[in-house]
Amino acid sequence: SAPCPQWPYCRKRCSYCNFNKYVVPVVDEASMRACLVREARTLLRLSQVQSITSVFFGGGTPSLASPRTIAAVLEAVAGAAHLPAGAEVTLEANPSSAGTPRLAGFRAAGINRLSIGVQVRGASPVLSPAAPCAPTATVLPPQSLDDAELRLLGRGHTAAEARGSVEAARGLFPGQTSIDLLFGLPGQSLGAWARGLEAALGLCDNHVSLYQLTLERGTALAAQVWGGTLPVPPQDLLADMYQTARAMLVATGFRHYEVSNFAKKGALSTHNLSYWRAEQYIGVGPGAHGRFVPQGEGGHSREARVQTLEPDAWMREVQSRGHGTRRRVVLSPLEQLEEVLALGLRTDEGITHERWRHFSPHLSLEAVFGVPGEAKDLQQQGWLVLDRSGLRCTWEGLALLDSLLPDLLCQLQRR
Amino acid sequence: MALAGRTAMWWARLRSACPAAAPLCIPPWLSAGPGACERLYSSRGKEGSDMSMYPVESIRNFSIIAHVDHGKSTLADRLLEITGTIAKTDRNKQVLDKLQVERERGITVKAQSASLFYSHEGVNYLLNLIDTPGHVDFSYEVSRSLSACQGVILVVDANEGIQAQTVANFYLAFEAQLAIIPVINKIDLKNADPERVEKQIEKLFDIPIDECVRISAKQGTNVEKVLQKVIEKIPPPPCNTADPLKALVFDSTFDHYRGVIANIALFGGEIQKGHKIVSAHTKKRYEVNEVGILTPNEQPTHKLYAGQVGYLIAGMKEVTEAQIGDTLFLYKQPVEPLPGFKSAKPMVFAGMYPADQTEYNNLKSALERLTLNDSSVTVHRDSSLALGAGWRLGFLGLLHMEVFNQRLEQEYNMSVILTAPTVPYKAILSSAKLIKEYGKAEITIINPAQFPDKLSVSEYLEPTVLGTIVTPHEYIGKIIALCQDRRAVQKDMLYIDEHRVMLKYLFPLNEIVVDFYDALKSLSSGYASFDYEDAGYQAADLIKMDILLNGNPVEELATIVHNDKAYATGKFLCERLKDAIPRQLFEIAIQAAIGKKIIARETLKAYRKNVVAKCYGGDITRRMKLLKRQAEGKKLMRKIGNVEVPRDAFIRVLKRQTDK
């Protein structure tokens, strides 16, 4: 099982980010800490998870939280379930909030992996319970090493700062630092992207997340693009950027193990893999999402759970009931399979027969997709493979997954 | 126009007697004190008001006609307020426009009626206002409304002056020999120039300047004066209560609970609950359940008398029973039926198919009900290999088609596939075999699928219209160029004052059906106006053009075009289609073809990347919802070969450019 504590506060609003985040001058960190701890305990008890595979601190900008808070949450997790010594504990960090002394503090608090990033999500810990569970801390890497691009993104750091923080992070978390790279910025050329990537490859550690900038409603960047002041990157250029990056990363020894994620020397993100494999995870903190079976209250079905979004309201709920779960929906067997399909096909291993059987004991992958229908057509067209190891996308098909999924869902729904 | 002229004659017989007590009475439901006479109170049963106090002399039946946006509906609202028909509030906007689509679009589509009560120089008058639609597509409704009137208020905007529809509406009223009261509206506007408009009216319509009434309907200025003019200048309806009942059905609506509600104008006699009546058209007998007046909602009355306008409910359940233009008379007292109406002439035809064939029967019943309220739509059953069973509908124009479709969606919750609109072409057949097959040599083609090959045709004909354009003179150059581009021939050009010109052009109908009006508006910054009337057929070099997706024809988009326009139209359709179809996993060739010859091509490239970048524990729920909606959408896609096309793509392609 994988807990994901969320830290919902940011220093400033980045122009492209619409995550649940709050830019407030003073955060009552003591209260927030107490609530994160309390909710983590409550939910772990509810899930009856015995062991934790990973912890991931995401959110607004969790690296703005103090190491004390991180330590307190980890203690709570370890107190409620078994947290093995080697478990992955990732912290998402922003280059400007990740100076060496701070990072050292995080390491002392129990963080062993850093993800330095661009698009940081609402900050909350997510606990990945499973057989073995390791928490994860990810530091934010430089999305870009170009000052002009960083200004466009409204990031509060310069390229030099970004470079500095990656180097600092690698010093403290050798082999365990991930960086985010962002492409598809308005006005960015293929050449500029390739050069930026080249520079980033010289800087990066064993893990890279590669994101196409998505224009999210309500962000300053989207308003500028949709308003016509910034150009929309053409579809074909985005495809070229993605393919170029894939090729370059693979050529330098990275394994393309998920649509947007690359790792070498086996440094795959345990935590994120557990999402794509549709394992259980427990979202802690304002706006966090989770998927688990609440065995603690006699539940037998996997539930989709969402915590209250607004931090003050969330804190009040945690203080009064021990948790701030706002919504819980039991997932039907079909809905679970739909998630298995949509998430599993994002990985290079795809959906193994074994994993499918776990969710669908009576209807095999072959029985659903091996018969004439959409999947057969997509196999013939070279986008999909169904063989002895399972169902997965081809190299070409992976880039087109969102065009394949509606067809596959149609076929699944007919069974 | 001719039919409206005939209508005026229907009223030609003067009524001789009138109920003695009536003229001095106030309608009981408006009476403030004990002034109303005894008899009226006694006759005011459950059915409501007694209409006998309004003899023919104190009745005026009139319409308001105007160019769109010149303030017809606002004036109607004020008249309703002044006469106490509706309470005076700030919220009275388009009171007579009851349909959702009318309020949303700010246009009148469906004629409505309202009875107003007004006291002038000691006499209580019954003024029946019959509202008329403002758009050229609905001129059929205008002439129908005029058939129940003896006069009109012609409203002209003090700033915009005479516009194309002002001219068209004036001639409708003039040829029907109706009294015309010119009213210059919006004199409160900063740029109002009533003198100039008065001069235009004098020059174009030959109405003396001093007959114009200057008003502001918005502020209520001089509106009373309009009512007085209505009483003074419009003659009472020429008919007699002593004659046998003769009622013209001039409109009808379908009510889900009460059945057919027929709007009637009494040309003779009287009618009340319990009367046995007969339809001259169907010869069917009915018993009257309810009569009443419209204020503008239905208000039951005891009786209706000659010269009055109101409604009737008589147990007509089938939509086909209340034929508009039909004459109703008393059982065993047959009368010479009124001439009725020429049926509306559809200018635009399109195929309509249920989006899902299982909805066929529901759509059928929705169409039947809606066409009762809009009898100008013609309906023929049709079927297509690609689209299944459906209908070919005829509309008065493209706006009419859009409005009809919108009403189907809003009032009946129906979603349909509409094919490309086409005008009614004709072909003179030369092949003996075809002539035998059709039983005649000249055929009308309302469906491109039935377009006969050139080899078996001696001549194709296309419908034409005489268009009137009124514009400030600075736009003349651009407008002439536009008209020439639309294959139009100039017939007349007249300065209606120092700054404004009226142009008359003979247009092929298909050139103005889709986007002419929008093109005209945009190149004249909205100042030019346009109206048209039917002008017969002319020979034309026509061909059928198909649109192909990866080699498979798209039946919805098959069109008949003029040879000179084939290339441009084909290119335009291909380009628009390229924007309307989402990218797919393979390349799509979009082609325009005449026979086997490809005349235009666009290529929609295959998707090379389509995958969401970030997909973590965050909000998978939302993502799954989106994917499931897409999967659901796949089932509703129209498949042409292996190309998936959203249902609304074709209509978007055909829509005017300004809607892009």
Side-chain angles (χ1 to χ4, degrees):
Chain A
S1 176
C4 332
Q6 306 267 337
W7 180 259
Y9 300 104
C10 288
R11 189 174 283 160
K12 62 175 299 203
R13 222 171 260 284
C14 300
S15 66
Y16 53 83
C17 175
N18 77 341
F19 283 125
N20 177 35
K21 66 200 180 274
Y22 297 84
V23 182
V24 289
V26 183
V27 177
D28 180 359
E29 189 168 349
S31 304
M32 176 56 75
R33 174 164 56 232
C35 288
L36 285 172
V37 163
R38 179 137 182 233
E39 186 170 61
R41 283 192 186 129
T42 310
L43 295 181
L44 279 168
R45 198 179 323 122
L46 195 61
S47 73
Q48 297 279 295
V49 162
Q50 301 301 308
S51 177
I52 300 295
T53 43
S54 62
V55 178
F56 191 102
F57 289 88
T61 312
S63 55
L64 286 176
S66 72
R68 251 186 88 193
T69 297
I70 302 295
V73 172
L74 287 174
E75 265 166 44
V77 170
H82 174 58
L83 182 59
E88 182 184 278
V89 183
T90 307
L91 176 75
E92 276 192 331
N94 184 324
S96 56
S97 63
T100 309
R102 250 186 115 66
L103 291 182
F106 287 128
R107 190 176 64 172
I111 299 293
N112 59 19
R113 184 170 178 272
L114 209 60
S115 168
I116 309 183
V118 193
Q119 247 154 308
V120 192
R121 290 168 302 123
S124 299
V126 177
L127 313 160
S128 263
C133 278
T136 310
T138 308
V139 183
L140 299 185
Q143 294 88 50
S144 168
L145 298 170
D146 181 297
D147 283 339
E149 288 180 353
L150 287 168
R151 270 195 303 278
L152 183 67
L153 295 172
R155 301 290 298 183
H157 61 260
T158 61
E161 277 175 338
R163 212 171 276 120
S165 61
V166 174
E167 276 156 11
R170 289 186 65 182
L172 287 163
F173 303 97
Q176 291 296 319
T177 300
S178 173
I179 68 168
D180 283 2
L181 293 170
L182 200 60
F183 70 94
L185 278 55
Q188 190 181 37
S189 70
L190 183 59
W193 164 239
R195 281 191 300 279
L197 189 60
E198 193 78 59
L201 283 174
L203 186 69
C204 71
D205 198 17
N206 293 339
H207 194 276
V208 169
S209 295
L210 176 71
Y211 297 127
Q212 178 183 317
L213 176 70
T214 38
L215 293 171
E216 303 280 4
R217 204 181 314 164
T219 62
L221 197 62
Q224 281 174 286
V225 172
W226 291 332
T229 36
L230 286 174
V232 187
Q235 281 291 323
D236 285 333
L237 176 60
L238 294 172
D240 287 338
M241 287 178 168
Y242 182 67
Q243 300 295 2
T244 302
R246 277 176 101 179
M248 281 172 71
L249 282 157
V250 169
T252 43
F254 281 89
R255 172 177 158 195
H256 186 186
Y257 74 101
E258 193 262 354
V259 169
S260 304
N261 287 279
F262 300 80
K264 61 184 175 189
K265 298 178 188 158
L268 284 67
S269 163
T270 313
H271 186 84
N272 287 335
L273 264 182
S274 67
Y275 290 132
W276 301 317
R277 289 174 175 165
E279 285 164 5
Q280 295 198 80
Y281 54 93
I282 299 159
V284 179
H289 288 247
R291 290 280 186 284
F292 64 87
V293 183
Q295 287 181 343
E297 55 182 34
H300 298 290
S301 306
R302 185 175 166 99
E303 289 183 3
R305 302 173 70 105
V306 187
Q307 309 307 106
T308 295
L309 194 65
E310 202 274 314
D312 290 336
W314 171 81
M315 277 200 261
R316 279 195 300 275
E317 286 166 33
V318 175
Q319 280 155 3
S320 66
R321 323 184 253 143
H323 66 85
T325 303
R326 177 52 63 98
R327 207 159 50 89
R328 32 185 297 204
V329 180
V330 172
L331 295 170
S332 72
L334 175 64
E335 285 170 318
Q336 292 184 36
L337 287 177
E338 286 168 344
E339 289 195 0
V340 167
L341 196 65
L343 294 168
L345 288 179
R346 296 181 63 86
T347 61
D348 62 348
E349 66 183 14
I351 302 151
T352 61
H353 292 290
E354 184 197 352
R355 186 161 311 284
W356 183 266
R357 234 184 343 264
H358 176 74
F359 286 93
S360 170
H362 306 299
L363 198 61
S364 69
L365 263 182
E366 283 285 351
V368 179
F369 298 113
V371 297
E374 288 88 338
K376 267 263 157 73
D377 296 344
L378 295 172
Q379 280 193 71
Q380 272 159 19
Q381 291 159 26
W383 312 122
L384 209 60
V385 177
L386 175 60
D387 62 13
R388 286 171 61 188
S389 60
L391 181 71
R392 63 186 178 280
C393 290
T394 61
W395 172 265
E396 293 78 17
L398 193 64
L400 293 164
L401 178 59
D402 290 358
S403 290
L404 313 181
L405 283 172
D407 276 333
L408 295 175
L409 290 177
C410 281
Q411 190 168 10
L412 175 62
Q413 285 162 6
R414 285 201 302 272
R415 293 311 304 247
Chain B
M1 281 151 264
L3 54 114
R6 258 201 319 270
T7 315
M9 299 302 291
W10 301 337
W11 296 97
R13 286 169 58 202
L14 275 168
R15 120 184 241 292
S16 56
C18 60
L24 293 173
C25 291
I26 300 167
W29 66 95
L30 291 175
S31 160
C37 61
E38 206 74 75
R39 199 182 70 76
L40 292 176
Y41 276 109
S42 62
S43 66
R44 185 191 172 201
K46 256 204 289 194
E47 271 69 43
S49 326
D50 183 346
M51 297 302 290
S52 69
M53 62 183 132
Y54 296 102
V56 162
E57 292 83 355
S58 55
I59 298 174
R60 301 291 182 272
N61 294 328
F62 69 103
S63 280
I64 308 176
I65 55 178
H67 188 75
V68 66
D69 282 342
H70 280 197
K72 184 170 55 64
S73 298
T74 313
L75 178 57
D77 292 345
R78 285 304 90 72
L79 294 180
L80 295 178
E81 284 171 9
I82 288 177
T83 56
T85 310
I86 56 172
K88 189 170 185 294
T89 73
D90 296 340
R91 292 187 301 274
N92 290 332
K93 278 191 181 143
Q94 287 183 273
V95 170
L96 293 181
D97 292 341
K98 292 180 188 171
L99 300 176
Q100 188 184 346
V101 43
E102 293 180 318
R103 287 163 173 273
E104 279 175 12
R105 293 178 176 233
I107 55 170
T108 304
V109 169
K110 176 87 181 145
Q112 295 288 348
S113 308
S115 295
L116 322 176
F117 302 96
Y118 186 65
S119 177
H120 178 56
E121 291 177 351
V123 181
N124 292 306
Y125 288 93
L126 167 63
L127 310 178
N128 294 310
L129 163 59
I130 294 149
D131 194 15
T132 60
H135 190 275
V136 50
D137 275 10
F138 304 103
S139 57
Y140 169 75
E141 292 258 346
V142 175
S143 40
R144 223 167 56 197
S145 302
L146 295 186
S147 69
C149 297
Q150 286 72 49
V152 295
I153 299 172
L154 177 67
V155 179
V156 187
D157 183 306
N159 175 22
E160 293 189 359
I162 287 179
Q163 297 294 320
Q165 265 171 276
T166 320
V167 179
N169 283 329
F170 169 81
Y171 282 109
L172 281 178
F174 183 76
E175 286 169 30
Q177 297 175 19
L178 304 183
I180 296 169
I181 301 167
V183 163
I184 298 173
N185 188 24
K186 306 195 192 180
I187 54 166
D188 57 305
L189 291 186
K190 212 172 66 195
N191 296 324
D193 188 355
E195 284 87 26
R196 185 173 60 89
V197 180
E198 283 167 358
K199 280 185 206 147
Q200 291 177 350
I201 289 175
E202 184 175 43
K203 179 164 184 187
L204 219 54
F205 303 149
D206 208 16
I207 299 176
I209 285 177
D210 58 13
E211 285 189 25
C212 296
V213 190
R214 295 183 185 183
I215 69 160
S216 163
K218 194 173 157 203
Q219 299 181 344
T221 319
N222 268 345
V223 175
E224 290 257 24
K225 205 166 159 194
V226 175
L227 281 175
Q228 289 154 17
K229 284 267 188 185
V230 165
I231 289 165
E232 288 161 16
K233 289 193 62 184
I234 298 177
C239 53
N240 194 334
T241 300
D243 286 346
L245 172 68
K246 191 184 231 187
L248 170 73
V249 178
F250 68 91
D251 202 354
S252 60
T253 50
F254 184 83
D255 182 289
H256 289 268
Y257 303 102
R258 299 195 288 173
V260 176
I261 300 171
N263 289 11
I264 53 170
L266 267 68
F267 285 76
E270 53 181 56
I271 192 165
Q272 68 179 80
K273 180 176 176 174
H275 274 171
K276 303 263 191 306
I277 55 164
V278 177
S279 148
H281 180 71
T282 63
K283 310 281 184 270
K284 275 194 187 169
R285 237 172 82 189
Y286 302 94
E287 183 175 323
V288 177
N289 298 332
E290 183 178 323
V291 294
I293 53 170
L294 298 150
T295 63
N297 296 320
E298 289 120 26
Q299 182 172 340
T301 60
H302 185 61
K303 283 185 178 183
L304 285 177
Y305 298 90
Q308 297 178 351
V309 171
Y311 71 92
L312 164 145
I313 300 174
M316 296 177 177
K317 289 191 184 65
E318 288 297 314
V319 292
T320 47
E321 286 175 87
Q323 194 79 32
I324 289 167
D326 195 4
T327 304
L328 305 174
F329 55 84
L330 284 179
Y331 179 55
K332 289 192 173 159
Q333 293 185 48
V335 296
E336 180 70 16
L338 296 159
F341 299 104
K342 260 194 282 182
S343 34
K345 201 167 157 185
M347 299 283 219
V348 177
F349 290 85
M352 180 176 276
Y353 297 86
D356 175 351
Q357 278 289 325
T358 59
E359 287 287 298
Y360 179 86
N361 283 326
N362 291 338
L363 181 56
K364 187 175 170 220
S365 103
L367 278 178
E368 278 172 3
R369 289 177 176 190
L370 199 50
T371 46
L372 179 79
N373 284 353
D374 187 351
S375 58
S376 49
V377 178
T378 63
V379 182
H380 300 282
R381 283 176 60 180
D382 200 357
S383 67
S384 136
L385 273 182
L387 303 169
W391 298 267
R392 190 135 279 259
L393 305 184
F395 301 97
L396 301 171
L398 206 69
L399 177 67
H400 185 210
M401 176 171 120
E402 279 177 29
V403 164
F404 187 86
N405 194 26
Q406 196 175 341
R407 290 187 65 187
L408 264 184
E409 277 173 20
Q410 286 175 347
E411 294 169 36
Y412 296 92
N413 196 23
M414 283 285 138
S415 132
V416 299
I417 301 173
L418 270 176
T419 66
T422 182
V423 301
Y425 293 104
K426 286 183 176 180
I428 313 286
L429 302 173
S430 60
S431 131
K433 183 168 160 269
L434 276 184
I435 293 173
K436 199 174 164 198
E437 199 180 310
Y438 283 101
K440 55 191 173 185
E442 184 182 297
I443 58 165
T444 303
I445 307 145
I446 57 171
N447 184 346
Q450 288 149 12
F451 190 72
D453 190 85
K454 205 169 192 166
L455 294 172
S456 48
V457 167
S458 61
E459 190 173 39
Y460 294 111
L461 302 169
E462 65 178 343
T464 62
V465 292
L466 185 63
T468 302
I469 298 167
V470 175
T471 176
H473 61 85
E474 59 263 41
Y475 302 111
I476 288 182
K478 286 189 201 164
I479 290 175
I480 289 177
L482 173 69
C483 292
Q484 281 168 351
D485 179 54
R486 302 303 176 106
R487 302 190 287 126
V489 180
Q490 197 181 87
K491 293 289 177 191
D492 193 9
M493 181 160 153
L494 170 76
Y495 273 81
I496 59 173
D497 62 20
E498 307 87 82
H499 305 294
R500 273 164 204 273
V501 185
M502 183 172 78
L503 298 157
K504 296 226 177 211
Y505 272 90
L506 186 69
F507 287 93
L509 177 60
N510 83 317
E511 295 286 344
I512 59 156
V513 156
V514 178
D515 61 350
F516 177 79
Y517 186 69
D518 293 289
L520 181 72
K521 280 280 169 197
S522 82
L523 66 75
S524 66
S525 309
Y527 285 115
S529 61
F530 179 63
D531 202 327
Y532 60 82
E533 59 188 285
D534 184 12
Y537 278 80
Q538 70 182 16
D541 184 6
L542 302 174
I543 42 176
K544 183 187 166 197
M545 183 172 74
D546 288 307
I547 299 292
L548 314 174
L549 292 182
N550 279 352
N552 298 298
V554 181
E555 191 162 326
E556 291 94 323
L557 294 179
T559 38
I560 297 168
V561 289
H562 193 270
N563 206 356
D564 295 350
K565 290 295 188 79
Y567 176 75
T569 309
K571 187 164 178 289
F572 172 75
L573 283 179
C574 290
E575 282 167 4
R576 294 294 300 269
L577 207 47
K578 188 182 172 186
D579 294 337
I581 300 177
R583 278 187 171 200
Q584 303 186 16
L585 290 170
F586 43 82
E587 187 174 288
I588 299 167
I590 303 165
Q591 295 166 309
I594 290 169
K596 296 220 179 325
K597 190 177 153 208
I598 303 297
I599 57 163
R601 174 182 171 130
E602 290 287 330
T603 305
L604 183 63
K605 284 202 262 176
Y607 250 136
R608 290 176 48 221
K609 174 177 185 295
N610 180 29
V611 62
V612 74
K614 197 149 189 168
C615 196
Y616 287 158
D619 199 350
I620 296 176
T621 310
R622 206 193 302 170
R623 168 118 196 94
M624 290 311 298
K625 265 192 192 143
L626 177 70
L627 283 171
K628 279 193 264 189
R629 207 175 324 126
Q630 286 170 352
E632 218 36 57
K634 284 237 162 203
K635 295 176 194 163
L636 292 174
M637 291 269 193
R638 171 102 161 79
K639 269 206 148 192
I640 292 161
N642 56 351
V643 181
E644 287 173 335
V645 185
R647 293 261 175 202
D648 62 346
F650 301 128
I651 292 303
R652 271 191 282 144
V653 165
L654 297 167
K655 273 232 177 122
R656 301 143 197 218
Q657 266 168 307
T658 45
D659 295 348
K660 232 178 188 176

